[in-house]
Amino acid sequence: MKKTTEFTPTAFILGILLAVVFGGANAYLGLRVGMTVSASIPAAVISMGIVRLLLKRDSILENNMVQTIGSAGESLAAGAIFTLPALFMWAKEHGTAMPSFFTIAMLAISGGLLGVLFMVPLRHALIVEEHDRLPYPEGTACSKVLLAGEEGGAKAKKVLKGLLAAAVYKFLADGLKLFPSEVDFESRKLRGAGFGIDVLPALVGVGYICGARVSSYLLSGAVLGWLVLMPAFVLVGGDNILFPATRAIGTLTTWELWGNYIRYIGAGAVAAGGIISLVKTLPLIVTTFRKAVRGYGNTGRERTERDIPMRYVIIGIAAILLFLCVMPQIRLSVPMALFIAVFGFFFATVSARMVGLVGSSNNPVSGMAIATLLLASFVLKLTGQTGLKGMTVAISMGTVICIVAAMAGDTSQDLKTGFIVGATPWKQQVGELIGAVVSGLAIGGVLYLLQAAWSFGDPELPAPQATLMKLVVEGVMGDYLPWGLILIGVFIAVAVEIVGIPVLPFSIGLYLPIHLSTAIMVGGLLRAFYERKKNEAYVQDGILFSSGLIAGEGLIGILLAVTAVLGVSAKFDLSGRGISLGAAGSLAAFLSLLVIMICVIKKQEKMEIDS
C-alpha cells in the first residue's frame, strides 16, 4: 500500500501550484530570452522536500505524480510563447481588438490536451518497446532523483552533490552574473565561422546521460552549420544582400548569419528528419496503435501497463477538434481541424522520439512550429484565406500543434520516469491532462498581464520565437519566404540519412546553436572515458551526479525567473557594477565544475579499491 499511494489530494494540490508557478515563470523567461527551463526535475525535488520532509510521507509514486502535474506548466508555456504573442503584435499593427483571454486560454488548453492524448497510444511503443534505445535524459534523471530520495544514503548524496554544485554555479553565472554563461569565438581567417560553448551544468549532465555517440551526432550537425555553411555564405556572398538579411552577407555577424540563414536550413532539416523518422517507425506505431484501439489486453493487465482506454482518447480528441471548429475568433474549418489532427499526431510522435534522444531542453519545438506554419499558411493561401484573417488562423493552428509537440515531449519524459519507478500510466496521463488545463488558464493570464505591462516585440519583451513565427506566416502570405534555404535543409537531411547517420539528432544539431552541442559533447566524452574502464559503478555515479546537475540548474533557473518577474533580479547583477570575470572566468569555472564531477566519481573508485 505504501508503494501504490499515488494520486492523492496532496499530489493534486501541490502539482497544480507548481504547474502555475513553473508555467508563469517560464513564459516570462521565454519571452525575454527565447528559451525555457525544464521543470520535471525541479518539481520532483520540491515535491520530495515538501511531501517527504515536511509532511513525513514517503511514497515515491506520490512524488512522481506531483512532478508529472507540475511539469506540464513549463512545457505548455514553451509551446504557447513561441506563437501566441504574434496575435497581439498583429492586433497592435492593424489596429484591431486584442485576442480575448478566452481565445488564448482555449488554444493553449486544446493543444495541451491533444499533446497528452496523442501520447497515450504511443507510450508502449516508445517508452516500453524502446526502453534500451531511447534514454530520455530528463526522465531518466528524474527517476534517479526520486529513487535516490527513496533509498537515501550514498545515492542521495551523489545527487545532492550535483544539485548543490549546479545551483551554486548557476547562481554565480546567471544570478550574480559573475561570469558569462556563454563563451563565443569568431574566426579571423575563416570569415563567418563561429564557435563557442554554453558553460552550463545541465548541458554537461544531458551529454553524460545521452552518451558520446548521440552527443557527436548533435555536434556534427552544428559543425556543418557554423564551420562549413556560414563561412561558405560569406565566401560566396561577399557584398551581396540575400533575403531575409537586409545587409551585405560579408557584414553580418555569426549570430546574424545563423539567424538569417542557418535557422531556416535547420528548420527544413528538422522537418525532413521528422518525416524520415516517422516513416521508419511507422510499422511499430501502427501495430501499437491498432492494439490500443482494440483495447488489447487493457483489462486484467498489470497496474503498470494500464493506459487511458482508447475509446476515451478518441472521444476526447474528436471533442477538442470539434470545439476548435466552433470557437469564437478562430472557427477553423473541418479540413483545417483534420490538418491539426494529422500533423499534431505526427509531431507528437517526432517530439517524443526527439526528447528521447536529446532531452526536453533541446527539443526544437520552434523548428516543428516553423514547418507547421509553412504548410498551414501555404494551404490557407491556396484556399483564398489571406490577409489578417488567414494569418490569424495559421498562427492559431501553429499554436495548437506547437503546444502538442511540447506537451508530448514532456509527457513522454514523465512516462519514462513513471516506467522506471513503477507508476500507473493512466494516472500519470490524467495528471498531465489536469496540468494542461490549469496551465492553459494560467498562461492566458500571464500573457495578458505582460502585454499590459509592456508590449510584445518591444525591447523589454522581445518575444524572439514568436517574432520569427510571425515573419514566417507573413513571408508565405506575401510570397517572400526563403524556400531555397528550407529545401537545402531538407536535402541535407536526406543525404545524412543515406550515409547512415541518425538524421534527427544531426538535424537538431544543425538547427540549434553550436554552443549547446559543444557543452553536451563534453559530457558525452566524459562518460565515454568512464565507459572505457568497463566498470558500471563509475558510469552510474556519473549519471547520479548528472541528474543532480540538471536538477540544480533547473531549480535556480526557476528562482531566477521568479526574481525577474518580481523585478528584483537587477539587485543581484554584479556585471552592472563593473564586476565580471569575463570569458576566462567562464572557462575556469566550467573546468572547475568538470573537476568536481571527476572527483565525485574518483571518490567511488577509491572507496572500492580501499574496500
Side-chain angles (χ1 to χ4, degrees):
M1 290 301 296
K2 169 186 170 183
K3 289 294 182 182
T4 55
T5 302
E6 193 165 359
F7 205 131
T8 64
T10 300
F12 177 78
I13 295 171
L14 185 55
I16 286 177
L17 291 175
L18 292 179
V20 172
V21 171
F22 288 163
N26 272 284
Y28 178 84
L29 187 66
L31 291 167
R32 285 295 300 268
V33 301
M35 64 179 295
T36 58
V37 292
S38 178
S40 293
I41 296 173
V45 174
I46 293 173
S47 171
M48 285 194 297
I50 296 176
V51 176
R52 292 180 62 83
L53 299 181
L54 296 182
L55 302 179
K56 306 300 182 183
R57 302 158 72 102
D58 59 356
S59 172
I60 188 174
L61 301 186
E62 189 176 25
N63 286 320
N64 180 59
M65 183 57 64
V66 173
Q67 72 85 16
T68 296
I69 300 174
S71 64
E74 172 268 328
S75 55
L76 192 143
I81 61 173
F82 287 170
T83 50
L84 285 174
L87 296 177
F88 291 90
M89 288 187 273
W90 278 328
K92 181 180 178 181
E93 291 176 5
H94 293 268
T96 58
M98 293 289 176
S100 67
F101 170 82
F102 177 81
T103 299
I104 297 299
M106 290 304 103
L107 284 174
I109 291 173
S110 297
L113 294 178
L114 286 174
V116 178
L117 294 175
F118 283 143
M119 262 306 299
V120 173
L122 298 173
R123 184 193 68 85
H124 194 271
L126 299 179
I127 306 301
V128 180
E129 296 289 341
E130 300 201 48
H131 175 61
D132 296 329
R133 292 183 290 275
L134 294 176
Y136 286 97
E138 282 96 348
T140 301
C142 190
S143 70
K144 296 291 183 181
V145 171
L146 291 171
L147 290 168
E150 180 80 0
E151 297 175 13
K155 289 187 176 181
K157 289 180 181 178
K158 293 182 181 68
V159 176
L160 183 60
K161 287 178 181 179
L163 188 150
L164 292 175
V168 172
Y169 187 103
K170 179 73 172 178
F171 183 71
L172 292 175
D174 291 342
L176 298 179
K177 298 189 184 297
L178 186 60
F179 53 86
S181 58
E182 182 174 271
V183 179
D184 192 43
F185 304 99
E186 291 189 23
S187 173
R188 293 183 179 178
K189 293 186 177 180
L190 186 61
R191 291 178 56 218
F195 191 74
I197 181 171
D198 282 348
V199 288
L200 293 172
L203 295 176
V204 176
V206 169
Y208 192 97
I209 292 173
C210 287
R213 183 178 295 274
V214 173
S215 300
S216 67
Y217 296 146
L218 285 165
L219 184 59
S220 61
V223 167
L224 175 64
W226 285 71
L227 299 178
V228 178
L229 296 179
M230 284 165 50
F233 273 106
V234 173
L235 182 64
V236 176
D239 295 330
N240 295 313
I241 299 175
L242 178 63
F243 181 81
T246 56
R247 302 201 321 267
I249 294 176
T251 65
L252 299 177
T253 65
T254 53
W255 283 102
E256 288 171 334
L257 287 167
W258 175 77
N260 284 293
Y261 304 123
I262 304 304
R263 249 183 128 175
Y264 286 101
I265 294 174
V270 169
I275 294 172
I276 293 171
S277 175
L278 183 66
V279 170
K280 291 172 67 176
T281 58
L282 199 56
L284 178 60
I285 293 172
V286 169
T287 300
T288 305
F289 190 77
R290 186 186 301 121
K291 290 180 180 179
V293 170
R294 294 175 179 174
Y296 174 77
N298 191 57
T299 303
R301 285 190 302 179
E302 291 290 332
R303 172 185 61 82
T304 54
E305 281 297 312
R306 294 179 184 171
D307 297 292
I308 294 176
M310 274 305 301
R311 59 181 178 275
Y312 297 133
V313 173
I314 294 173
I315 291 172
I317 292 172
I320 294 168
L321 295 176
L322 179 62
F323 174 77
L324 290 173
C325 292
V326 300
M327 191 176 76
Q329 288 190 293
I330 304 298
R331 295 187 183 279
L332 296 179
S333 64
V334 173
M336 292 297 100
L338 293 176
F339 178 97
I340 288 178
V342 173
F343 279 84
F345 181 71
F346 164 59
F347 282 124
T349 306
V350 172
S351 177
R353 289 193 64 86
M354 281 184 180
V355 301
L357 291 169
V358 298
S360 298
S361 300
N362 302 300
N363 185 13
V365 173
S366 58
M368 290 182 275
I370 289 174
T372 299
L373 291 174
L374 288 172
L375 188 54
S377 301
F378 185 71
V379 171
L380 288 167
K381 186 176 180 180
L382 289 178
T383 58
Q385 298 185 60
T386 57
L388 182 59
K389 174 62 178 176
M391 292 192 297
T392 300
V393 173
I395 210 72
S396 299
M397 295 169 62
T399 295
V400 174
I401 294 178
C402 191
I403 295 175
V404 164
M407 283 295 294
D410 173 74
T411 302
S412 61
Q413 293 282 12
D414 292 338
L415 291 173
K416 180 73 166 186
T417 302
F419 177 72
I420 294 173
V421 303
T424 308
W426 76 262
K427 291 183 179 180
Q428 277 195 284
Q429 291 155 0
V430 170
E432 292 279 1
L433 293 172
I434 293 171
V437 173
V438 173
S439 303
L441 294 172
I443 290 301
V446 168
L447 290 180
Y448 251 85
L449 287 174
L450 293 176
Q451 171 65 21
W454 298 291
S455 186
F456 297 123
D458 289 350
E460 296 85 359
L461 211 64
Q465 303 284 6
T467 301
L468 175 63
M469 305 304 167
K470 174 175 173 285
L471 292 175
V472 167
V473 175
E474 291 173 345
V476 174
M477 294 294 185
D479 288 325
Y480 54 82
L481 195 70
W483 283 104
L485 297 175
I486 294 168
L487 291 175
I488 288 174
V490 169
F491 291 116
I492 285 176
V494 172
V496 166
E497 178 66 24
I498 289 173
V499 297
I501 298 174
V503 65
L504 267 182
F506 181 92
S507 299
I508 295 168
L510 178 59
Y511 177 78
L512 296 173
I514 194 172
H515 307 67
L516 295 171
S517 301
T518 305
I520 292 173
M521 189 71 238
V522 171
L525 290 174
L526 189 58
R527 175 165 178 170
F529 171 77
Y530 283 107
E531 284 179 336
R532 289 185 62 123
K533 289 180 174 286
K534 298 182 179 179
N535 189 314
E536 188 64 22
Y538 304 160
V539 176
Q540 292 303 317
D541 276 358
I543 292 177
L544 288 170
F545 189 83
S546 297
S547 302
L549 291 180
I550 298 173
E553 182 175 333
L555 280 172
I556 298 301
I558 293 291
L559 291 176
L560 292 178
V562 172
T563 63
V565 172
L566 296 176
V568 297
S569 58
K571 295 181 180 180
F572 303 105
D573 188 353
L574 295 180
S575 64
R577 304 171 195 172
I579 303 175
S580 177
L581 300 179
S586 299
L587 295 175
F590 191 66
L591 289 175
S592 300
L593 177 68
L594 296 176
V595 170
I596 292 172
M597 187 172 183
I598 292 171
C599 288
V600 170
I601 301 175
K602 280 290 185 181
K603 184 177 180 180
Q604 171 67 27
E605 180 182 1
K606 184 177 184 300
M607 289 172 58
E608 290 186 356
I609 292 174
D610 291 342
S611 63

